[in-house]
C-alpha cells in the first residue's frame, strides 16, 4: 500500500473516530489545510520547535529566485513521540524533505504528512499512535 | 493445666479464622487498582465488542434551545466545508473541563487513587480533576462554576460512582448548551483486567429533553510516562469572523 494511501486512510480513521464516537475532542479542525493537495518541499531547517499544542518545522526552501520560508505544523510532542519522533531529530541547518498538505489560503504553511530526515529515516505525523506511515 | 492450654489454642485458632475471614471480606470489597496511565481504547477488528466505547445517545434539547443549536452546528459544518473552521475554545488553549477532558483526541489520562480521593490528570492541556471520596456533595447553588466543578464519589461493587456539579456554562460537551443545573454522573469500572470504562450521563433539567449518555473506553498503559503539555506555542488564532487561522513566521 502506498504511503499516500496509508495517510489518507489514517485521516479517514481519525475523522471517523471524531465523528462516529461523538465523544472525542480535538484541539482544532484541520480544515484550514487542503487535504486534497500534497506538496513536497526540500530545504534547510531553521528551527524545530518541540512545543504544545503543536510542534513546528521552520524551513527555508530554495526557489528559482531566492528562498521561500515555510512554517509546517505537526502534531503535539505526545503524538509525535508515539510516531517515532524525538525532540532532537532535527536541528538548524539539517536538510529535510517534507510532504505536506498546504494551507488553503495559499500562504507558505502546511500540515506535515511525512518527513525524510538527513539520516534517511521517514517519520509520519500521527494522528494515530501507531508506527509512522512509511516505516 | 492441659485443658487450659487446649482452650487457649482453640481461642487463638478462632481469632485467626475470624481475621482471615475479615481480610477476605475486605479484599472482596476493596476497590480495584486503577492507578496509572490509560490510553483511549477503540476496540477494532477481532476485539470483544463489549469492551469498545459506545457512541453518544442522540442530543435532544428542549425546543427553545434546539433551533439555535442546530443552526450553529449547520453553520460550523458549512464553515468547515469551506476550509474556514469556526473556532472552539480549545483553539485558544482554553481547557476542555468535565466531561470532555476525559477523551481528547488520542491523549492518555492518568489516575491517582488514594483512599480519600481519586485524581485524574489528562495529558492534553494538563487538566486535573479531583474526586473526593470522603465527603458529601454540596448543593448546586453553593459551587462556584468552573471547568471541573465539584466531584464526589464512592465505590459501589468495584465501580467508582462519581457525581459532578458546578460546570460553568461556557464549558460544553460537543457545544451543547447547559445551565447551572447540569449534573454529570459517571460509573468508572474495569470491564476486563486492563480495560476501563467510564459510563457518562449528562442531565440538565433546563436545556436537555433527555440525558446524554456515552461510554468511554481506555486500555492500561503500564509503562507509559505522561508527557508534559504546556500550551506555550499556540500559533492558531481567531480572526474577526471567528475563523481559525495559522500564524506564520518570516524566518
Amino acid at each position: 500500500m502506498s504511503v499516500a494511501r496509508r495517510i489518507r486512510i489514517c485521516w479517514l480513521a481519525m475523522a471517523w473516530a471524531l465523528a462516529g464516537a461523538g465523544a472525542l475532542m480535538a484541539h482544532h479542525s484541520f480544515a484550514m489545510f487542503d487535504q486534497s493537495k500534497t506538496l513536497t518541499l526540500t530545504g534547510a531547517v531553521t528551527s524545530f520547535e518541540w512545543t504544545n499544542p503543536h510542534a513546528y518545522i521552520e524551513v527555508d526552501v530554495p526557489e528559482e529566485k531566492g528562498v521561500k520560508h515555510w512554517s509546517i505544523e505537526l502534531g503535539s510532542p505526545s503524538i509525535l513521540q508515539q510516531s517515532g519522533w524525538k525532540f532532537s531529530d532535527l536541528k538548524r541547518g539539517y536538510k529535510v524533505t517534507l510532504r505536506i498538505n498546504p494551507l488553503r489560503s495559499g500562504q507558505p504553511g502546511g500540515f506535515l504528512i511525512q518527513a525524510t530526515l538527513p539520516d534517511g529515516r521517514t517519520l509520519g505525523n500521527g494522528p494515530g499512535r501507531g508506527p509512522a506511515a512509511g516505516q | 493445666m492441659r485443658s487450659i492450654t487446649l482452650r487457649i489454642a482453640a481461642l487463638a485458632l478462632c481469632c485467626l479464622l475470624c481475621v482471615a475471614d475479615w481480610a477476605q471480606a475486605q479484599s472482596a470489597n476493596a476497590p480495584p487498582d486503577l492507578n496509572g496511565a490509560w490510553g483511549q481504547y477503540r476496540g477494532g477488528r477481532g476485539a470483544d465488542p463489549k469492551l469498545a466505547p459506545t457512541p453518544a445517545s442522540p442530543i435532544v434539547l428542549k425546543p427553545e434551545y434546539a433551533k439555535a443549536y442546530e443552526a450553529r452546528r449547520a453553520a460550523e459544518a458549512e464553515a468547515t466545508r469551506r476550509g474556514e473552521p469556526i473556532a472552539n475554545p480549545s483553539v485558544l488553549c482554553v481547557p476542555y473541563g468535565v466531561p470532555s477532558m476525559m477523551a481528547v483526541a488520542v491523549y492518555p489520562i492518568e489516575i491517582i487513587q488514594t483512599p480519600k480521593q481519586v485524581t485524574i490528570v489528562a495529558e492534553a492541556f494538563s487538566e486535573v480533576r479531583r474526586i473526593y471520596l470522603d465527603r458529601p456533595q454540596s448543593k448546586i447553588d453553593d459551587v462556584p462554576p468552573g471547568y471541573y466543578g465539584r466531584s464526589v464519589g464512592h465505590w459501589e461493587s468495584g465501580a467508582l460512582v462519581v457525581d459532578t456539579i458546578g460546570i460553568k456554562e461556557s464549558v460544553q460537551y460537543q457545544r451543547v448548551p447547559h445551565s447551572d443545573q447540569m449534573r454529570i454522573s459517571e460509573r468508572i469500572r474495569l470491564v476486563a483486567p486492563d480495560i476501563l470504562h467510564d459510563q457518562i450521563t449528562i442531565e440538565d433539567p433546563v436545556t436537555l429533553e433527555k440525558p446524554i449518555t456515552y461510554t468511554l473506553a481506555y486500555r492500561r498503559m503500564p509503562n507509559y510516562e505522561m508527557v508534559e503539555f504546556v500550551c506555550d506555542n499556540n500559533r492558531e488564532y481567531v480572526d474577526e469572523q471567528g475563523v481559525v487561522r495559522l500564524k506564520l513566521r518570516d524566518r
Side-chain angles (χ1 to χ4, degrees), chain A residues 29-67:
Chain A
S29 162
F30 294 94
M32 65 177 144
F33 303 106
D34 188 345
Q35 291 157 43
S36 69
K37 281 188 189 162
T38 303
L39 294 182
T40 301
L41 310 173
T42 298
V45 173
T46 60
S47 68
F48 179 38
E49 299 177 13
W50 188 258
T51 53
N52 281 300
H54 292 278
Y56 287 90
I57 300 172
E58 296 291 333
V59 60
D60 279 342
V61 179
E63 292 188 327
E64 279 186 22
K65 292 179 182 175
V67 169

Side-chain angles (χ1 to χ4, degrees), chain A residues 63-116:
Chain A
E63 292 188 327
E64 279 186 22
K65 292 179 182 175
V67 169
K68 191 172 191 178
H69 185 80
W70 288 74
S71 297
I72 306 303
E73 183 172 292
L74 286 74
S76 70
S78 170
I79 289 171
L80 291 175
Q81 75 173 32
Q82 296 297 323
S83 302
W85 282 91
K86 279 177 69 177
F87 70 97
S88 53
D89 275 330
L90 290 178
K91 294 189 178 357
R92 185 179 178 85
Y94 278 19
K95 189 179 175 189
V96 289
T97 297
L98 309 175
R99 294 184 62 219
I100 65 158
N101 291 135
L103 281 170
R104 288 178 194 271
S105 66
Q107 293 175 295
F111 193 70
L112 183 74
I113 300 171
Q114 181 178 281
T116 304

